[in-house]
Amino acid sequence: MWAYWVSVPSHWREIPARYRLEGGICKNCGHTMLPKEDVCPSCGSRDVVTKQLPRRGKVVNYSVVWNAPRGYEYYTPYVVALVRLEDGTMLLSQLTDIDPSQVTEGMDVEMVLRKVRVSGESGIIAYAYKFRPLIKSD
Amino acid sequence: MVFIIGAGVLKVGDHWEKSLRNLVTEVALAALRDAGEVPVDYLVVSNSLSGVINGQENLGSYVASHLGIAGVPALKVEAANASGAAAVIVANSLIRSGEAQRVLVVGVEKMTDYTSLEDSNTAVSTLIDSEYEAFHGATLDSMHALVMREYMKRYRINREDFSHFPIIMHENAVDTPHAQYRFKIDLNTYMSSPLLAEPLSMMDVPGLADGAAALIISSREEGPNGNAKIVSFGQATDRISLYSRSSIVEMPSIRAALERALSKVSEFKPDFYSIEEYSSVLGYIAVEELGLARRGEAYKLFREGEARRDGPIPVNPEGGSKARGDPVGATAIYQLAEAYLQLAGRAQGWQVSGARRALVLSIGGLGSNSVVHLVEGV
Ligand SMILES: [Zn+2]
């Protein structure tokens, strides 16, 4: 019954945003967004162009999900977070590679590509961004 | 002028023996009886999730068929938990335009036809953004949890400060015959309730429920059992994704809907408030947006008991979504039916004494679609 929800074309057309954080920037007001919209949600301008968003950011807020929808039960408990990227773009993502009890507001995170859900026997395995604690290289 | 001239409400809960069509038929017939068996010339169905849950759309003809009134023009209106309020706006407009004289508005949600809780979570997740929130595993509960955590941080309040809301809702529902949860809870019940999405627990939100409610709306004050006038309404939307809003502890759509409703009247002083609140924190934010408490201080209204049914500012005298129950697409029809029963002096056992005016706020999709109705007894 949920086939429409993560059908192949519906996932495929979101791949630029989901695999590599390709978003948009409004040429009128500078607002950045994910995904790229046809109309700027901030000022209403239609002059929005594609922008590669940064892969690093900070956790602004989060919730630990214990009661999951179909296709996500396997990951329970998992963390959904509001993440502010380095250029100020806000998005919602799962956090990964971290115990839920270790998550803190303000923690630095970076994007990785991970499996997000599997939909049934006939469905596809959908990959997309998740964010993990930033591994300092110095 | 537009009047509510009759209403019907079914008990909210698990009606395993009744299907979608049984629920709508039963409640629509009850409302028609209540209004004196008047003929209707339009049917507006309010529902949110029948497509994903019951595999049934085209509810206008579906309901008309099962009611034996096929031929009458009919349609379905959807705006998440505010579907019912949006349906009443449509009915109201049909009457004001002269297109209809009497409209049957019936709200229904059959949520318990599930094999698992996961599937019901998926269905309810259709009320938030599917591609950039639900796809990432966000649920309606987890979105409310994000709001709750932000609210706690911003206003420096604790989890237990949210307990006052469900405690009063449950207290009110004890006296409401059609309520889902007619029992009291206390601070201990609240604090020991299982977490659904941290920091939000089971006691912060409604349970799954079936429900149906109906109204007969007319251009004339002709109800044999009492009438209420729809004085004014206002509606406003906000961005559907939480992450794209500038503040998640404010719901400007509520403010805008209120302003629009008030702009059409000279003065309106409600005797009670009906607020559709999916969670305790949304209940608090709604109270603040309506101007009943300062930001971050709504909990005091409930802690001090001012919001009790017999207090100076009664909120949800029937128990609200939390305890009366929240059958999504039907919830706002319950709100307006309850307001009608209150204003007609027919809310036996749960009556706000002397109630003449009601402010009914319906909130869809976490503040992404809000409707305010101002209703007055006649
Ligand atoms: Zn812009």
Side-chain angles (χ1 to χ4, degrees), chain A residues 26-31 33 40-45 47-48:
Chain A
C26 171
K27 294 187 79 174
N28 180 52
C29 76
H31 180 78
M33 68 204 80
C40 172
S42 190
C43 76
S45 164
D47 197 1
V48 179

Side-chain angles (χ1 to χ4, degrees), chain A residues 1 4-5 14 17-18 34 41-42 61-64 66-68 70 72-73 78 90 94 105 116 129, chain B residues 52 116-119 121-122 130-132 134-137 139 145-146 149-150 153 195-198 239 243:
Chain A
M1 194 172 213
Y4 68 93
W5 204 53
E14 304 301 328
R18 287 180 181 163
L34 185 79
S42 190
N61 191 343
Y62 66 97
S63 173
V64 184
W66 292 92
N67 187 24
R70 170 74 62 218
Y72 299 83
E73 318 87 299
Y78 58 88
M90 292 290 295
Q94 275 188 47
E105 284 168 20
V116 170
Y129 53 79
Chain B
V52 277
S116 78
L117 197 57
E118 286 80 11
D119 286 337
N121 289 334
T122 306
S130 77
E131 293 173 317
Y132 285 84
F135 172 82
H136 292 280
T139 55
L146 292 172
R149 188 189 296 277
E150 184 73 17
K153 187 174 63 169
L195 292 169
L196 297 173
E198 237 169 280
R239 297 177 192 173
Y243 70 85

Side-chain angles (χ1 to χ4, degrees), chain B residues 11 30 38 61 71 76 116 210 266 270 290 300 305 322 330 332 342:
Chain B
K11 186 172 166 62
V38 286
S61 3
K76 160 181 165 171
S116 78
D210 301 333
S266 53
L290 290 177
K300 292 180 185 168
K322 175 70 194 82
Q342 288 281 357

Side-chain angles (χ1 to χ4, degrees), chain A residues 32-103:
Chain A
T32 57
M33 68 204 80
L34 185 79
K36 175 184 170 292
E37 306 274 4
D38 297 318
V39 180
C40 172
S42 190
C43 76
S45 164
R46 297 173 191 179
D47 197 1
V48 179
V49 296
T50 300
K51 177 181 189 276
Q52 175 58 52
L53 302 175
R55 288 161 183 255
R56 290 182 178 179
K58 282 183 192 301
V59 171
V60 173
N61 191 343
Y62 66 97
S63 173
V64 184
V65 179
W66 292 92
N67 187 24
R70 170 74 62 218
Y72 299 83
E73 318 87 299
Y74 172 79
Y75 302 98
T76 309
Y78 58 88
V79 181
V80 294
L82 292 177
V83 174
R84 189 191 309 279
L85 301 179
E86 281 174 340
D87 67 351
T89 312
M90 292 290 295
L91 55 81
L92 183 135
S93 173
Q94 275 188 47
L95 300 184
T96 186
D97 301 2
I98 185 169
D99 187 278
S101 65
Q102 301 299 308
V103 178

Side-chain angles (χ1 to χ4, degrees), chain B residues 169-366:
Chain B
M169 292 303 111
H170 275 260
E171 195 177 287
N172 287 347
V174 169
D175 304 315
T176 310
H178 61 273
Q180 181 178 18
Y181 299 128
R182 301 183 65 187
F183 55 84
K184 291 188 184 186
I185 62 161
D186 59 18
L187 179 62
N188 184 47
T189 326
Y190 181 81
M191 294 308 281
S192 58
S193 159
L195 292 169
L196 297 173
E198 237 169 280
L200 182 121
S201 80
M202 205 175 267
M203 275 299 147
D204 285 306
V205 295
L208 280 181
D210 301 333
L215 301 169
I216 310 296
I217 300 188
S218 172
S219 58
R220 286 183 294 177
E221 188 189 323
E222 57 185 347
N225 296 309
N227 297 272
K229 182 166 75 170
I230 301 177
V231 176
S232 177
F233 67 84
Q235 181 179 18
T237 54
D238 196 358
R239 297 177 192 173
I240 188 165
S241 329
L242 205 58
Y243 70 85
S244 68
R245 299 187 197 169
S246 51
S247 165
I248 65 169
V249 293
E250 293 183 21
M251 303 284 163
S253 67
I254 296 175
R255 227 148 53 224
L258 177 67
E259 278 164 22
R260 280 176 195 155
L262 289 175
S263 72
K264 303 174 201 168
V265 294
S266 53
E267 206 205 347
F268 193 88
K269 176 88 185 63
D271 297 310
F272 72 95
Y273 295 82
S274 168
I275 296 174
E276 191 288 321
E277 78 308 337
Y278 178 80
S279 65
S280 312
V281 67
L282 189 58
Y284 284 174
I285 291 172
V287 159
E288 292 162 13
E289 295 292 3
L290 290 177
L292 304 178
R294 298 215 317 236
R295 294 208 183 277
E297 296 188 355
Y299 71 95
K300 292 180 185 168
L301 214 61
F302 295 86
R303 189 185 62 189
E304 316 302 337
E306 287 169 89
R308 282 210 163 90
R309 190 190 295 139
D310 58 358
I313 311 170
V315 174
N316 297 347
E318 74 296 323
S321 296
K322 175 70 194 82
R324 172 248 287 123
D326 183 20
V328 186
T331 302
I333 302 292
Y334 274 92
Q335 289 185 282
L336 285 152
E338 287 154 355
Y340 161 75
L341 293 171
Q342 288 281 357
L343 299 172
R346 295 168 57 191
Q348 281 167 15
W350 49 290
Q351 182 73 44
V352 175
S353 76
R356 297 274 304 133
R357 291 182 192 85
L359 189 154
V360 180
L361 167 63
S362 310
I363 312 168
L366 198 40

Side-chain angles (χ1 to χ4, degrees), chain A residues 2-3 6 70-71 73 117-125:
Chain A
W2 320 106
V6 278
R70 170 74 62 218
E73 318 87 299
R117 64 165 283 156
V118 181
S119 67
E121 315 85 68
S122 56
I124 56 161
I125 298 172

